[in-house]
Amino acid sequence: MTLATIAGRSVHVNDEGFLTEFDEWDEALAAELAANIGITLTDEHLAVLRFLRADYRAQGETATLRRVATVGGFDTKQLFVLFPKKPAKKMSYVAGVPKPVGCV
């Protein structure tokens, strides 16, 4: 586990930069993580991130893109607009949860 300084504080990350400590995340940190990958957070982004975190807490694993769409009720095409190119990976990164299984 590596320590990184993000948004002015130290957080634990893995070798890909994903947070490894669930409770170190907050929305200010999310804004900084999003900025690191060229995304400016909106309320719509935050709704997705809150769903991912709640679902991770309940399920013990990161939701796939399909689960975010079907269970979370988010439109798949809109997820690609909000988190371009690799939405599952980017959503997870910004939400402070591990990459979904099978995500490269």
Side-chain angles (χ1 to χ4, degrees):
M1 212 173 325
T2 305
L3 277 177
T5 302
I6 303 172
R9 64 178 195 245
S10 293
V11 293
H12 294 86
V13 297
N14 66 15
D15 59 341
E16 293 182 89
F18 283 77
L19 293 181
T20 58
E21 298 294 326
F22 186 83
D23 293 327
E24 290 180 343
W25 185 92
D26 62 28
E27 291 182 5
L29 183 64
E32 186 73 24
L33 292 170
N36 289 346
I37 57 173
I39 295 172
T40 302
L41 292 184
T42 64
D43 289 342
E44 196 172 4
H45 288 96
L46 290 170
V48 174
L49 300 178
R50 289 176 188 134
F51 168 78
L52 273 173
R53 292 188 56 80
D55 193 70
Y56 179 81
R57 185 172 300 197
Q59 301 299 316
E61 64 183 25
T62 303
T64 61
L65 189 62
R66 178 172 289 185
R67 182 172 174 81
V68 173
T70 57
V71 176
F74 299 97
D75 179 69
T76 302
K77 289 180 183 178
Q78 185 61 15
L79 292 173
F80 275 89
V81 171
L82 294 171
F83 301 93
K85 300 195 176 161
K86 295 185 176 185
K89 184 174 182 178
K90 290 179 178 182
M91 290 183 306
S92 302
Y93 172 76
V94 178
V97 296
K99 279 191 315 187
V101 175
C103 196
V104 242

